[in-house]
Structures are given as C-alpha cells and as structure tokens.
C-alpha cells in the first residue's frame, strides 16, 4: 500500500495523554496499512504557536517510540500554497468577504430561520455597493474583512473508518480570518488542513473525534480544489476524571509531568486493548483496529 498517514499537532503547549494516544493511534494505522507516517506542525495560529513548543512535542513523540518519515512540515512555511488555493476558489466564485464581528454574528444568529452554530449568511448576498461601504468602514479602523467559503451544497459526505458515511451541513466557513490590516494573513484551519493533506500525499487522516463534524466540510473543500478525498479515522478522546476532555487542570497529564515513557506506553496500550505492552513495537504487533474501544477513555491519574 502506498499513501501516507499523519499526526498534525498544534504547537501551543505540551502534548497530554489524549494527544499522545491519538498520535500513537495515527502511527499504528499508518504502520498497519503500509503507509508512510508524516508529522505536520499546525502552527498557522502564529500568536499561539511556538517553535519551542513544536520541538518539545516532537521530542515527546520520539521518546514514546514514534518514528516519522520525511521532513517535518510547518504550516507557517505554507502560506503561498494557501494563497493559491484561495485564488483557485475565488476564481471559481466560492469566496466572499465577510465584515461581521463576533457580536454581529451572535445577534444575527438569534433571528428566526437561522441554524444554530452556522453563519447566518449576513454578508453572503451583499451588493457591490454594500461591500464597498463595509470594506471602507473596516479599513478606516485599520481592519480587513474575513473571507468565507460560498458553499454551494446544503450537505456533503465523508467516509470514516469507524463512523461509516458521515453527512453534515456545509457552513460558509472562514477561509482567511479578518482583523488588523497590518498583521498579515491569518489562515483558517479548514483550508490549510485540506491543502496540506493533499500536498503531503496523505490519504488517511487519523485524529480525535472532536473533529468528526469538520470532515464533510474538509471533504467538500478538497472536492472544490480538485484534490483527492481522504479516508478519515476519528478516534475517541481521553477524558479527565471529571468527564470533561483531558486538560492541564487534571494534574500531571504530559509525558514530562508523568516522567516515564514506559508507563505512558503501558497505559496507552491498555487503553487500546493491548494489556502489559512494554513498547510501541509490541502494541503494534498486538493492536487490532476493529477491537478499539469506541467509548472515550477516562484518565484517573
Ligand atoms: N491541529 C489539530 C489539533 O491539534 C488537528 C488537526 C487535524 O488532525 O486535522 O487539534
């Protein structure tokens, strides 16, 4: 089998057990299907990302026994690629400017006939005159508009190894954030992830199931850009003792805090249905994807 899988962390802090477990799963799926395994550092959010954090994350992954093929790809080096994908969508009429603030969206979303959680469409059908006015109002505050996807479908499907065919409404998601004109472009996750998965030849995406709802939007964007669809594998998250998604507040949750790679490997193995594993190689030998527990795993400390 050719193709590749990947792990794509955002470098805004150390990886916790939930992140590490997802990384191990991504590695297991790639190795188990003969795919290359690539690492992509999702540092498009330049304000929250740091090179130091990325380096710490990579060294923790390596300490667990995960190995990667090829060079690490940093999204901060890919802005030209996002620019050309955006231009392709613009040329095909799939992009419009959005002048709304968060408050505008909140207020418009409380009107009847809007779908909760979806952009209420305020800027979708403005005339050129209205756009020019809103654009110059923003410009006078030193701001530029956001760019949104002009979705042409009400829903789209993606295929997930565990969840099967998933269908979700396609929102007019942000492709490039607006904001302070002097601060440069702020690319949105959905566009970057689709462009980079295709660029890296990734055809299987293993990640936490908090992103399951995003998969149809990403599959739709890929189709608009003429990029091949990927297979998704969304895996359950790790929860903390309170039943919330695992986080720093839950105490010692990172490899550095827990201190021992072998005990983390053992815990991850157990959570994957492989009891008593001493190494990732051993987990790899005994892991059965079909037997992966589908419920979230709880870390009790
Ligand atoms: N960078 C995202 C995160 O750390 C993951 C994105 C993805 O795997 O598609 O949550």
């Amino acid at each position: 089998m050719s193709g590749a899988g990947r792990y794509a962390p955002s470098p805004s802090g150390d990886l916790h057990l939930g992140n590490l477990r997802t990384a191990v799963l991504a590695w297991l799926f790639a190795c188990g299907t003969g795919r290359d395994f690539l690492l992509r550092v999702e540092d498009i959010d330049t304000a929250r990302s740091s090179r130091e954090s990325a380096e710490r994350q990579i060294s923790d992954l390596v300490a667990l026994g995960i190995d990667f093929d090829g060079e690490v790809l940093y999204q901060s080096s890919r802005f030209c690629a996002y620019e050309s994908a955006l231009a392709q969508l613009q040329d095909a009429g799939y992009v419009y400017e959005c002048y709304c603030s968060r408050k505008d969206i909140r207020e418009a979303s409380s009107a009847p006939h809007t779908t909760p959680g979806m952009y209420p469409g305020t800027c979708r059908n403005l005339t050129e005159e209205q756009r020019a006015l809103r654009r110059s109002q923003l410009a006078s505050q030193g701001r530029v508009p956001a760019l949104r996807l002009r979705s042409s479908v009400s829903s789209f499907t993606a295929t997930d190894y565990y969840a099967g065919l998933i269908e979700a409404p396609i929102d007019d998601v942000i492709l490039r954030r607006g904001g302070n004109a002097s601060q440069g472009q702020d690319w949105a996750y959905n566009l970057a992830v689709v462009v980079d998965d295709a660029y890296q030849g990734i055809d299987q995406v293993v990640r936490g199931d908090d992103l399951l709802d995003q998969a149809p939007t990403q599959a739709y964007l890929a189709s608009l850009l003429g990029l091949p669809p990927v297979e998704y594998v969304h895996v359950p998250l790790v929860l903390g003792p309170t039943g919330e998604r695992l986080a720093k507040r839950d105490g010692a949750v990172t490899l550095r805090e827990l201190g021992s790679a072998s005990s983390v490997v053992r815990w991850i193995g157990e959570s994957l249905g492989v009891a008593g594993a001493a190494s990732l190689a051993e987990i790899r030998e005994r892991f059965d994807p079909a037997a992966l527990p589908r419920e979230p795993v709880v870390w009790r400390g």
Side-chain angles (χ1 to χ4, degrees):
M1 168 112 216
S2 59
R6 47 78 159 177
Y7 183 58
S10 304
S12 56
D14 286 346
L15 299 170
H16 60 54
L17 274 177
N19 308 130
L20 295 171
R21 179 179 188 266
T22 301
V24 168
L25 274 164
W27 178 82
L28 288 169
F29 268 88
C31 299
T33 54
R35 288 178 164 89
D36 282 348
F37 187 57
L38 307 178
L39 182 73
R40 181 168 73 236
V41 173
E42 298 213 321
D43 58 350
I44 32 171
D45 182 350
T46 44
R48 297 185 57 219
S49 308
S50 76
R51 200 43 93 112
E52 189 212 344
S53 173
E55 278 159 15
R56 286 168 67 95
Q57 292 185 341
I58 295 167
S59 82
D60 286 358
L61 294 168
V62 170
L64 278 193
I66 294 181
D67 50 356
F68 303 102
D69 296 294
E71 299 272 296
V72 177
L73 185 71
Y74 284 81
Q75 287 193 321
S76 53
S77 70
R78 298 272 303 145
F79 289 1
C80 291
Y82 310 146
E83 191 71 66
S84 45
L86 178 71
Q88 191 182 333
L89 294 174
Q90 271 167 329
D91 289 349
Y94 287 112
V95 182
Y96 65 91
E97 287 184 348
C98 173
Y99 315 94
C100 293
S101 64
R102 284 214 182 86
K103 183 159 165 272
D104 295 334
I105 295 177
R106 228 180 9 255
E107 284 170 5
S109 299
S110 60
H113 311 302
T114 56
T115 313
M118 300 215 11
Y119 178 62
T122 318
C123 297
R124 188 176 161 111
N125 296 315
L126 299 180
T127 64
E128 265 321 306
E129 289 73 34
Q130 289 169 320
R131 289 192 184 284
L133 178 65
R134 301 293 305 271
R135 202 178 293 131
S136 70
Q137 283 167 344
L138 277 188
S140 67
Q141 304 158 14
R143 298 171 69 78
V144 290
L147 299 177
R148 281 189 185 273
L149 172 69
R150 184 184 294 280
S151 158
S152 64
V153 294
S154 54
S155 69
F156 205 77
T157 53
T159 309
D160 185 83
Y161 179 84
Y162 290 113
L165 203 62
I166 35 175
E167 182 164 6
I170 303 301
D171 196 6
D172 283 2
V173 289
I174 298 261
L175 300 171
R176 202 178 78 191
R177 263 177 274 285
N180 200 319
S182 62
Q183 275 171 6
Q185 299 119 353
D186 196 358
W187 294 102
Y189 158 69
N190 277 308
L191 180 68
V193 85
V194 166
V195 170
D196 287 341
D197 281 339
Y199 173 71
Q200 292 186 282
I202 285 156
D203 60 350
Q204 187 183 57
V205 168
V206 181
R207 62 187 181 189
D209 63 10
D210 54 328
L211 291 167
L212 183 71
D213 292 354
Q214 306 286 325
T217 297
Q218 293 170 8
Y220 175 59
L221 267 174
S223 78
L224 293 181
L225 289 164
L227 303 173
V230 301
E231 181 197 30
Y232 293 95
V233 183
H234 287 93
V235 297
L237 296 180
V238 175
L239 306 182
T242 59
E244 300 277 316
R245 190 193 301 194
L246 191 69
K248 278 203 172 66
R249 61 170 180 269
D250 296 315
V253 290
T254 66
L255 182 58
R256 285 154 205 260
E257 290 162 346
L258 292 161
S260 145
S262 60
S263 64
V264 169
V265 164
R266 199 166 332 107
W267 183 84
I268 290 176
E270 263 155 38
S271 80
L272 303 180
V274 180
S279 67
L280 284 196
E282 191 181 336
I283 296 180
R284 178 182 163 177
E285 250 160 56
R286 295 168 48 202
F287 174 65
D288 173 9
L292 178 75
R294 300 291 308 282
E295 314 76 46
V297 184
V298 180
W299 164 254
R300 298 191 189 281

